[in-house]
Amino acid sequence: MNPTPVPGLVSVVMLVRNRLEHTRRALASLARASGEFEVVVVDNGSDDGTTEHLAALEHPRALTVLRHEDDRGGSERRNVGAAVARGEFLLFLDNDVLVDDPDVVEVLAAELTADPGLGAVSPLLLYPGDRELVQCAGGASTADGRIGPVGRGKPLGAEHRAHREQSWAPTAALMVRHSSFRRVGGFDESFDPVSLCEDVDLCCRLRADGERLRYVGSVAMRHFEGTTFNHVGHDKLPIWKRHMRVIRSRWAELFATGPTHAAADLEWVPVEKDYTDLDRPRVSVLADPGAAAADLSFFASDRALATAEPADVRVVVVGTDPVPAVRGVRVVGVADPDLRALLPAARAHGAPWALRDGTRLVETVPAEGVVVTAPDTAAALTALRRGLHVLLGKRAVDDLARLVEAARQAPGRCSVDLPWAHHPALVELGKAVAEGGAEGFAVRLARPGGHDLVTELGPDALDAVERVLGVPVTDVRTVEATRSRVRAVAVAGGVTGSIELVRGETRFHFSVTGASAADLVAPPVSGAYADFVAALRGGPPPSTGLDAVAGLFDVVLEWRSAVAALRTTP
């Protein structure tokens, strides 16, 4: 991995998943290209014969095939391909791109060789077919962060053949200096599993590191845009928009410094694509631009890539308390002001991002959900405003009124981590109470460690009482309070009972006078966290929604104050 680059050598890194016919044509067109280069193909779990074809392929260039059984996303797997590449320059190519000018590899490498201040270059991309229609004549951006390709859908003109500075370039065809790629850390894998905008982010990191990007319009490639398929099955458009919010937040100052373009440069003409016959592809300007189905801020695929339950979701964690490991859930960022706790937590999760500021983490790392385990109202409010789903740890509910108001108005869902909420034993006890009634109750909840007994255990105890009795707790009166033990009398729906919170081996005992008793053993993953993950995947609202349990936390806050006062009483 990471071999010493060979001077002058180009490594073509091509990511493939199925679409064998496109891969076959792309590799055949590369065989006609001039210059010194090798080819690294990263096969992301193809199952259409691509694997067998690559194994038997005799290519005139040195060919390395890296086979993976799954598709974890373009950023990670392009990084894997780059790690074995030997070239001084890396040429990232999609497998639906064809070499149009045989000297394209040589010309791009010559640009980088001649100008040490360049970090990356890209060629002209044309649509396939008889008509010379521009697909991307370089990447452009405006000072306010609008991003798009230049010339899209327009007839090829002299202005598209120029060489000029650009603010970003697409990974469909992007040549990067290998040393620069390593220095800035490669592609940001938190954009996976559906890689959209990771190319813009890479280019911005190169520019932030002092390097320039150049568009080289004198050489061209043909791009069958819209054929790349990611098996994860997410709806691309909302992910594109979410990633664009991250890009604008992360790089607003860089976009303002230029090179900037006029808004007219980013205007593009909708086209109609017909790739039924790959030997005779047809792309034409849409007769009625108003009939374009796709949002024109998105490079839309021709295929609908939406399923009810995406297989992979991303979360960021504000605070260093551990969160459960759930298959298909990737922690892509951790934030905490304490570096001594932050870095081990980030390593434990394998998170590519570790920041000290929780709000900054939420603003700049793409994710579908946010787990807030530390008191950080600002980060939670930011997440809700951005439409993300939020799971609050009990300690994080420190500004209840603001959080509840934000949760009611925000497009995202906000719930509280009450890990015992769906415990089967509580459910069964609740059924027994519903059938026979309750004359009283006794709850004893023990757990080692923690910051404060009422903050850590009180919400779980009161939530259990409410779920078993089916009525809210209206009053809690503290009887005894020490650092390791809190006893209280509680009233719920006219039924009075006792609650005891203690330090010790984890145990939850709940008995109901006139009904039954239950000893609860904690499940490996809390019910509230499972609810949160289900919501990220398009499932029903969590039953521990902040709005639904706000009354409970009102009682907890009063209880906590009473305990604090009792502890200070001589």
Side-chain angles (χ1 to χ4, degrees), residues 515-531:
S516 183
D519 284 298
L520 285 64
V521 177
V525 177
S526 82
Y529 190 78
D531 259 7

Side-chain angles (χ1 to χ4, degrees), residues 94 96-97 125-128 135 172 221-225 275:
D94 282 356
D96 55 2
V97 171
L125 291 177
L126 298 171
Y127 283 110
Q135 192 263 310
M221 291 182 159
R222 302 270 172 171
H223 185 201
F224 284 78
E225 181 200 46
Y275 300 154

Side-chain angles (χ1 to χ4, degrees), residues 332-397:
V332 293
V334 180
D336 195 276
D338 184 356
L339 282 175
R340 293 171 299 178
L342 171 63
L343 297 180
R347 283 194 293 267
H349 288 299
W353 282 87
L355 300 177
R356 300 181 72 176
D357 187 325
T359 300
R360 186 68 176 157
L361 178 79
V362 173
E363 288 178 335
T364 59
V365 176
E368 284 71 48
V370 180
V371 179
V372 184
T373 67
D376 194 332
T377 300
L381 293 175
T382 299
L384 288 170
R385 283 195 296 268
R386 296 178 74 87
L388 304 177
H389 292 347
V390 179
L391 179 66
L392 296 170
K394 295 184 284 288
R395 290 193 301 122
V397 189

Side-chain angles (χ1 to χ4, degrees), residues 79 137 167 178 205 401 425 524 527 541 553 563 569:
N79 287 342
S167 54
H178 200 158
R205 278 187 283 123
F553 274 89
V563 167
T569 301

